[in-house]
Amino acid sequence: MKLRKTRNTVLAALLAAGPAAASAQSSVTLYGRLDGGIEYLNHIANGNGGSSSRWSAEGGDWGTSMLGLRGAEDLGGGLSALFNLETALQIMNGTTGGGRLFSRRAYVGLKDETWGQLQAGRNLFIDSDGVWEFDPFVQQAVSSASLVRGRNWQQTSNNVEYHSPVFHGFDVQGQYAFGNQPGNFNAGAPGEFGRSNGIMLSYHSNLFDLRGIYDELRDSSGRLSNIFTASREYFVGANVRVQKFKIQAAYTHYAAPDTPTGLADSADHYWLGATYQATANWAVTAAGFYIRVGDGEGDVAHDPSSHAMLYALGTTYNLSRRTFLYGTVAYVRNSANGTFSVFATPRDADPGTSPMAGQSQTGAYVGMMHLF
């Protein structure tokens, strides 16, 4: 009996000491956020020559619900190993994003305090990772993604990435996504993107931020064939902070040189917006987004020459450091050939949210976000 008691005491001491010893060298964090609310949208083309409105319960209007694990291990000498596993969630039906176990991020890497971070695996495409910081609506359902049909929302697999240290406010990020297919270096697996890559240069200060991005997102055949799904992107954005205001502006040019002859193969996207931090808990944001598609016809998957203007007004109210309420209302005005929605819907989506050609559209949503 005495031996058993002694053994139990030793085991208890080891168990108590184990986590403390491990935490000094490594850490693993479970994190996530949950977003749910109610949405309204009018003038949705119904495929019968008319349009309809809808009310719906929706998740992820302010931001993607997600669940993730991240961790790091101190290897000594300023070097650490790290990993990140993250999947999107749809809380209205309990499914995960895209049928993948980890739809958003799944990578492992090394980080050095002097030389930067090198990682490999699946991640947000470089513009998705870089545009949101310069978007007044931080890539909400109504945001800079709306008039480019989600072009800056994508994720890519088979990535190798480098993130530099910050040097006098400047940092560089580079991303290269392999297609992994034999016989065609640029191609990707069916349903996946082909070889894609990008580079991002940023500057941050107390008064303003600047960022430039160049990237190439290819289709599964390895071609730049659609301005809003597989194209080259040139982006420049700026943030300026003035007392309680944050002013944000950006310009993006899209080019898809492999687009079939006669179809529109370029577009220019502009926006300007501001957020007013009225109180510590309450903020109001207003913005205008403009898209102009270059010369050319359209088809089921390609937008024709057209233009559209999107106006958005939103607000957030913090109930605590981890929970807030939000509301957004938006209106899009299309030119005669335009079918852009207030939401980032692919042109060939079924079901979609696009209106009929030349028709305007209004959308709104309210909800709650909780972070953990």
Side-chain angles (χ1 to χ4, degrees):
M1 185 64 132
K2 184 176 181 181
L3 179 60
R4 180 182 298 173
K5 183 176 180 180
T6 302
R7 184 178 65 187
N8 289 345
T9 302
V10 172
L11 286 172
L14 287 172
L15 289 171
S23 65
Q25 299 177 9
S26 62
S27 64
V28 176
T29 301
L30 173 68
Y31 68 93
R33 65 187 191 190
L34 300 174
D35 178 328
I38 299 172
E39 175 186 291
Y40 169 77
L41 187 63
N42 71 3
H43 292 176
I44 307 168
N46 58 25
N48 298 316
S51 61
S52 305
S53 300
R54 78 173 189 203
W55 287 92
S56 57
E58 294 290 341
D61 272 338
W62 193 92
T64 304
S65 296
M66 65 179 72
L67 179 66
L69 287 167
R70 67 167 67 98
E73 180 186 13
D74 185 357
L75 301 177
L79 182 67
S80 59
L82 55 88
F83 77 90
N84 195 180
L85 300 171
E86 182 180 285
T87 192
L89 301 173
Q90 174 49 263
I91 68 169
M92 291 302 168
N93 56 25
T95 57
T96 58
R100 302 172 191 263
L101 181 59
F102 297 108
S103 58
R104 289 171 57 86
R105 308 180 198 267
Y107 63 78
V108 64
L110 292 171
K111 182 176 182 179
D112 184 88
E113 294 177 359
T114 301
W115 299 104
Q117 179 174 318
L118 184 65
Q119 64 191 55
R122 181 173 173 83
N123 200 5
L124 302 180
F125 189 52
I126 193 166
D127 70 333
S128 178
D129 209 15
V131 169
W132 70 268
E133 188 179 345
F134 293 81
D135 179 349
F137 281 83
V138 291
Q139 298 282 52
Q140 293 182 38
V142 170
S143 67
S144 67
S146 297
L147 299 184
V148 298
R149 301 193 180 280
R151 167 62 167 78
N152 50 19
W153 268 356
Q154 305 304 324
Q155 299 91 39
T156 49
S157 299
N158 313 315
N159 289 316
V160 176
E161 290 185 49
Y162 172 72
H163 301 244
S164 78
V166 177
F167 182 73
H168 295 293
F170 289 93
D171 66 273
V172 177
Q173 179 179 337
Q175 183 184 70
Y176 194 97
F178 289 84
N180 279 14
Q181 302 304 300
N184 186 345
F185 186 69
N186 287 335
E192 300 285 343
F193 289 110
R195 182 180 68 84
S196 301
N197 52 270
I199 188 166
M200 177 166 69
L201 174 65
S202 306
Y203 175 77
H204 292 86
S205 71
N206 291 332
L207 297 177
F208 66 93
D209 313 306
L210 298 172
R211 176 165 291 164
I213 303 173
Y214 170 78
D215 66 68
E216 298 177 343
L217 184 65
R218 289 177 170 81
D219 64 22
S220 60
S221 298
R223 299 173 66 81
L224 302 167
S225 59
N226 188 312
I227 50 178
F228 296 137
T229 61
S231 57
R232 290 193 178 102
E233 176 184 33
Y234 306 81
F235 169 89
V236 60
N239 298 331
V240 179
R241 286 171 283 274
V242 181
Q243 296 181 349
K244 292 186 176 183
F245 289 91
K246 183 178 182 180
I247 303 166
Q248 299 177 274
Y251 164 72
T252 311
H253 176 72
Y254 297 98
D258 300 324
T259 300
T261 302
L263 301 180
D265 63 359
S266 67
D268 294 288
H269 189 208
Y270 309 80
W271 69 77
L272 175 65
T275 297
Y276 174 60
Q277 193 68 48
T279 70
N281 294 329
W282 179 42
V284 179
T285 299
F289 304 87
Y290 176 77
I291 188 76
R292 174 174 287 278
V293 179
D295 294 340
E297 301 297 322
D299 61 14
V300 172
H302 297 77
D303 281 276
S305 178
S306 57
H307 57 91
M309 187 73 197
L310 171 66
Y311 303 93
L313 178 65
T315 186
T316 59
Y317 185 82
N318 295 327
L319 299 176
S320 71
R321 293 183 63 183
R322 297 190 301 160
T323 304
F324 64 88
L325 305 176
Y326 63 81
T328 297
V329 59
Y331 171 80
V332 65
R333 183 177 180 84
N334 282 292
S335 67
N337 294 328
T339 62
F340 292 98
S341 172
V342 298
F343 297 141
T345 305
R347 183 171 170 86
D348 57 356
D350 184 20
T353 64
S354 296
M356 295 188 298
Q359 195 169 47
S360 61
Q361 187 178 70
T362 300
Y365 48 80
V366 294
M368 181 181 83
M369 171 78 82
H370 175 72
L371 298 89
F372 60 90

